[in-house]
Amino acid sequence: MELKKDSNAVSIDMLLIVHSEKRRAAQGAHSDRQADPGAPPQRRGGLQGVGNGIRRWQKLERNELHGNLVEKQHPQQTQVITSYDNQGTQLTVEVHPQDAMPQLLKKFSLAKRFQGDKNGNTRPRQPGGKDAHAYPWDRSSLKSMPLDLRQFEKLDTYASQVTVKSGLDALVSDLLQEAHSDLERVRAIWIWICHHIEYDIEAAQEKDRQAFKPTTILQTQKTNCDGYAGLFERMCRIAGVQCMTVPGYSKGFGYQPGQSFSGEFDHAWNAVFLEGRWHLVDSTWGSGLVDSTTSKFTFLYNEFYFLTHPALFIEDHFPDNKNWQLLKPPQSLRQFENNMYHKSEFYNKGMLSAHPQTSIIKTVNGKVTVTIESCAPTLFMFMLNGKQEHGLLSLRKNGMKLDVYPPTVGTHKLQIFAKGNSEIYSSVLEYTLKCHYADIDVRLPAELHQPVGPSWFSEQMGITKPSHPEPVIYTSDGRCSVSFSVEEGISVLASLHGDDGPVTEETQRRYIFQLQWEKRTELKVQLPHAGKFALKIFVKKRQEPGNYVFVFNYLLCCTNSKVNWPVFPESFGNWGQENELLEPLSGVLPANRNVPFKLKLHGVAKALVKGQDTWPLTLNREGYWEGSCSTAGCQEVYVMVLENANHNFYSYILKYKVNAQ
């Protein structure tokens, strides 16, 4: 057969041989014993040897048609063979039963979207300059085209609920019922695949070629990345939208920071042509994730990989053809390997940038500093070798700063997590730390939780205007005073934690004496010895049930080896707001001594000190209750108050211990 239209037309000479079913069956049996030289080679993994995604899929279709026609095709069903040459020229051959009439009008109607552009071109246009986006990312958008995701709400709900009734064409037809533009057609297909097709881990490991045939995928609703890409491409073409499968390398499941890529490709995704420009999608990663510990797949929709901005897509996708990066300038494989990998959640949760920008970093004088910039206040946490230790993480209005001090020389794994608008912390960054010198003098308390220092979060929790805005407080004599304003109705609780005694669970609050004024709280702190301590701050709404909630902590540092402060006196619930203790501040009194007392107490009628005997306190002109008591013959001393002069019931407000003789 020869096809000619004019001097500019493509000339095709074709020899079409149609065998009888009996002879075809015999050939099929023979092909079981002898490999078909026209079939694609069995790949040992990934996407090795793939030159053109379209030709690869069409070869698989022809192989399936050739070997399984008798079993899979109904005798009266039209058979279609489609092929592309190296330039993208399309040839479609239909084999009809003798008594059937080709439905040309119907075919032309469905295919009119593929009849070509204004110049009559029917093959997909290769990416060019008009498709390229500037690199690095300009922070304008996560998408490669302006999108308002709210416009897809109705379509997304509809597409996610469509079920497979027969074949692929019918499925696409059902999906397009609510789609009225190419963008909406692509969106409907994307949503359906991401919500219905499960990643087949076994097929991926065994490199099962059958697993990425569209007919098999619809039956099992499982596939590997090849299958996701091939199915997406086929459905887009049925919908009349140009689409290509793009093979390449990826920083996906099992990726280690800084690793190099060579040999066979390990992933496949798609490029789709919308509004005169190519765009990138990855339905494999949009559908869910594989748990690294159980190797099980979980559906977890990820919007990030739909029409992703190419300057972000290149962080974890490196195509076989640099033109499919859609970047200007394109990145080299070495750059791809060395560049920092920001996980999709990094951008989903509003992160903008991170420093350092390489995944492998070396310590300087035993320390590494990581900073993140975000577009809104965000909560962060980190783990070094799986534990929340050996680091100081302070929150900023738009980001965070993290100083890490690896405890030993060697290689360490640093993970950074962000919370965003959800209640779940998600991994957003991962670094490999190379430590050549560990500073043993920088040993942080194990109870130093994150964040360290006041921030927008402490303000949100009702603590404002701190006396110490920085996260670290240095004291030469082992004492310090921290104060801050507290919103009305908020109660504050503090505790001191160190790795060495004598701070025990019983005395964690006894090294802190809390003073309360109308809208401000002061924490007087005395350290039991030199070292580093975590001063943890908790809050609770007075009128609400439940426990105190951790807000932040300070790191207290003291190098004075002579420091040896005792605990403060124990205070009780009746220690009222705006009360003040001037002396004695030590909770342990000397034996057989007369000890002076001076306090400011509000709203009390009488005050006294009770030991072996009782000593009244008198109110002076400055408003302080003063007096003294003897510690002879007693083990404990109490300060007591009478709030109502008409009553005889005294309340305990302070308790002191007396040293043994």
Side-chain angles (χ1 to χ4, degrees):
M1 176 177 69
E2 182 179 8
L3 301 179
K4 283 188 178 181
K5 185 175 181 181
D6 54 41
S7 59
N8 295 321
V10 176
S11 177
I12 301 177
D13 296 316
M14 180 182 69
L15 175 63
L16 177 63
I17 300 176
V18 181
H19 295 288
S20 67
E21 292 183 358
K22 291 182 179 179
R23 183 174 179 182
R24 189 185 310 277
Q27 287 181 336
H30 178 70
S31 65
D32 290 337
R33 298 187 297 269
Q34 182 177 353
D36 180 6
Q42 180 69 36
R43 294 181 295 118
R44 288 176 291 183
L47 299 174
Q48 184 180 21
V50 177
N52 182 290
I54 296 177
R55 294 200 306 277
R56 172 167 60 90
W57 293 107
Q58 301 304 332
K59 286 181 180 180
L60 289 172
E61 292 169 15
R62 292 200 302 274
N63 189 50
E64 181 181 10
L65 181 65
H66 177 77
N68 304 300
L69 186 61
V70 176
E71 297 178 0
K72 293 188 176 181
Q73 298 290 344
H74 190 278
Q76 298 302 317
Q77 185 174 343
T78 300
Q79 301 152 23
V80 181
I81 304 173
T82 304
S83 179
Y84 288 82
D85 68 7
N86 289 334
Q87 302 301 318
T89 303
Q90 179 182 357
L91 170 64
T92 300
V93 177
E94 295 189 359
V95 182
H96 297 267
Q98 289 183 342
D99 56 349
M101 178 66 68
Q103 296 177 315
L104 295 178
L105 293 178
K106 181 178 179 181
K107 291 293 180 183
F108 286 138
S109 175
L110 288 175
K112 65 181 181 180
R113 302 178 55 78
F114 268 141
Q115 289 179 0
D117 57 21
K118 62 182 181 180
N119 298 318
N121 297 320
T122 57
R123 61 186 175 89
R125 177 179 64 78
Q126 293 296 305
K130 66 180 297 185
D131 301 291
H133 294 253
Y135 184 89
W137 183 45
D138 60 7
R139 301 186 178 187
S140 60
S141 172
L142 301 183
K143 303 296 185 182
S144 54
M145 64 187 298
L147 287 183
D148 182 359
L149 296 178
R150 293 173 296 182
Q151 69 179 345
F152 295 132
E153 290 178 356
K154 181 179 178 181
L155 178 62
D156 289 356
T157 301
Y158 169 79
S160 64
Q161 296 174 354
V162 172
T163 57
V164 179
K165 298 176 182 177
S166 55
L168 199 59
D169 291 85
L171 172 61
V172 174
S173 178
D174 289 342
L175 287 172
L176 301 190
Q177 294 299 314
E178 297 293 330
H180 308 293
S181 65
D182 279 357
L183 174 59
E184 290 185 350
R185 293 180 183 94
V186 170
R187 180 71 179 189
I189 293 169
W190 155 270
I191 288 293
W192 187 89
I193 291 178
C194 288
H195 287 80
H196 289 83
I197 304 303
E198 178 180 345
Y199 189 80
D200 192 336
I201 301 173
E202 293 182 1
Q205 293 174 342
E206 297 173 2
K207 302 173 179 62
D208 182 3
R209 191 174 63 186
Q210 297 291 331
F212 54 74
K213 295 181 179 180
T215 52
T216 305
I217 296 172
L218 287 191
Q219 293 172 359
T220 64
Q221 299 213 340
K222 289 185 177 183
T223 187
N224 53 19
C225 59
D226 298 317
Y228 276 100
L231 181 63
F232 186 87
E233 177 186 330
R234 177 75 71 84
M235 294 176 73
C236 283
R237 290 186 174 276
I238 293 174
V241 180
Q242 293 186 37
C243 182
M244 299 282 282
T245 294
V246 182
Y249 296 122
S250 68
K251 296 179 180 178
F253 180 70
Y255 167 74
Q256 297 296 324
Q259 79 175 58
S260 59
F261 294 86
S262 62
E264 62 186 23
F265 299 120
D266 61 5
H267 196 43
W269 55 94
N270 294 101
V272 62
F273 196 75
L274 294 171
E275 299 183 8
R277 200 174 191 182
W278 285 105
H279 303 268
L280 302 169
V281 300
D282 187 341
S283 56
T284 308
W285 291 5
S287 63
L289 48 84
V290 176
D291 190 297
S292 58
T293 56
T294 64
S295 296
K296 291 185 178 180
F297 175 82
T298 301
F299 277 107
L300 185 64
Y301 177 72
N302 193 342
E303 173 64 38
F304 180 76
Y305 291 105
F306 178 74
L307 307 185
T308 315
H309 194 292
L312 304 181
F313 204 76
I314 190 62
E315 292 199 15
D316 46 20
H317 292 73
F318 189 84
D320 67 333
N321 185 331
K322 68 178 182 180
N323 292 335
W324 285 117
Q325 294 181 23
L326 307 183
L327 289 176
K328 184 178 182 181
Q331 300 294 288
S332 68
L333 181 59
R334 179 61 62 87
Q335 287 174 307
F336 174 74
E337 293 171 344
N338 293 336
N339 284 348
M340 184 62 209
Y341 168 39
H342 305 92
K343 299 183 179 182
S344 61
E345 285 299 285
F346 181 90
Y347 298 106
N348 285 339
K349 292 186 178 295
M351 308 300 105
L352 295 173
S353 64
H355 183 84
Q357 297 180 346
T358 56
S359 57
I360 300 178
I361 49 181
K362 297 180 180 180
T363 58
V364 177
N365 296 326
K367 172 184 171 183
V368 161
T369 299
V370 176
T371 59
I372 292 181
E373 180 184 0
S374 60
C375 59
T378 304
L379 289 175
F380 294 88
M381 62 171 283
F382 78 94
M383 298 186 85
L384 183 68
N385 302 324
K387 296 182 179 179
Q388 297 183 53
E389 298 178 356
H390 310 295
L392 295 175
L393 190 154
S394 56
L395 298 176
R396 297 176 174 178
K397 185 175 181 180
N398 291 310
M400 71 89 174
K401 178 185 177 183
L402 171 62
D403 292 328
V404 181
Y405 303 88
T408 59
V409 172
T411 301
H412 303 268
K413 180 180 180 180
L414 174 63
Q415 296 170 285
I416 298 176
F417 304 82
K419 192 172 184 180
N421 295 325
S422 68
E423 292 300 317
I424 301 174
Y425 281 90
S426 301
S427 177
V428 295
L429 283 179
E430 187 173 310
Y431 287 97
T432 296
L433 307 188
K434 300 287 187 180
C435 180
H436 301 290
Y437 164 74
D439 190 346
I440 59 175
D441 293 329
V442 184
R443 198 182 79 170
L444 302 177
E447 287 291 325
L448 186 71
H449 293 167
Q450 315 304 320
V452 181
S455 66
W456 63 266
F457 179 66
S458 53
E459 290 184 2
Q460 182 177 297
M461 299 298 288
I463 295 179
T464 60
K465 300 178 181 179
S467 60
H468 294 70
E470 296 301 318
V472 182
I473 298 176
Y474 296 93
T475 170
S476 58
D477 63 356
R479 295 185 296 180
C480 67
S481 176
V482 177
S483 63
F484 38 76
S485 296
V486 180
E487 288 184 4
E488 187 176 353
I490 298 293
S491 295
V492 176
L493 185 69
S495 59
L496 188 71
H497 303 261
D499 289 339
D500 300 322
V503 180
T504 63
E505 186 174 352
E506 181 181 354
T507 61
Q508 285 170 355
R509 296 174 54 196
R510 296 288 305 281
Y511 287 96
I512 304 167
F513 196 80
Q514 185 169 325
L515 301 174
Q516 187 77 32
W517 290 279
E518 183 178 353
K519 291 185 178 180
R520 197 160 182 88
T521 295
E522 180 183 2
L523 303 175
K524 292 182 178 292
V525 182
Q526 295 182 163
L527 301 182
H529 54 78
K532 294 181 175 65
F533 298 84
L535 175 61
K536 305 179 76 168
I537 313 295
F538 304 81
V539 299
K540 177 184 177 298
K541 291 185 178 180
R542 296 194 188 102
Q543 302 302 324
E544 295 184 2
N547 299 323
Y548 280 82
V549 177
F550 171 75
V551 179
F552 72 98
N553 44 207
Y554 283 106
L555 175 64
L556 308 185
C557 301
C558 178
T559 59
N560 187 348
S561 59
K562 296 181 180 180
V563 166
N564 184 25
W565 290 105
V567 294
F568 285 101
E570 183 178 356
S571 61
F572 298 98
N574 288 329
W575 175 260
Q577 183 173 315
E578 298 188 8
N579 286 351
E580 184 179 355
L581 174 65
L582 273 71
E583 59 176 346
L585 290 175
S586 172
V588 181
L589 303 179
N592 301 317
R593 297 280 184 87
N594 283 325
V595 179
F597 281 77
K598 187 175 183 179
L599 309 89
K600 179 170 282 189
L601 305 173
H602 292 270
V604 301
K606 295 182 179 181
L608 58 84
V609 179
K610 185 178 184 305
Q612 184 72 16
D613 297 310
T614 299
W615 290 268
L617 300 178
T618 58
L619 184 63
N620 65 21
R621 293 180 179 180
E622 289 78 27
Y624 290 95
W625 292 86
E626 290 183 302
S628 63
C629 84
S630 172
T631 59
C634 60
Q635 296 179 338
E636 296 175 339
V637 172
Y638 294 89
V639 177
M640 307 173 67
V641 297
L642 181 67
E643 297 179 354
N644 191 324
N646 297 322
H647 296 166
N648 294 320
F649 179 76
Y650 280 80
S651 301
Y652 292 94
I653 60 172
L654 294 176
K655 175 184 176 181
Y656 293 84
K657 288 184 176 291
V658 178
N659 269 331
Q661 297 183 6

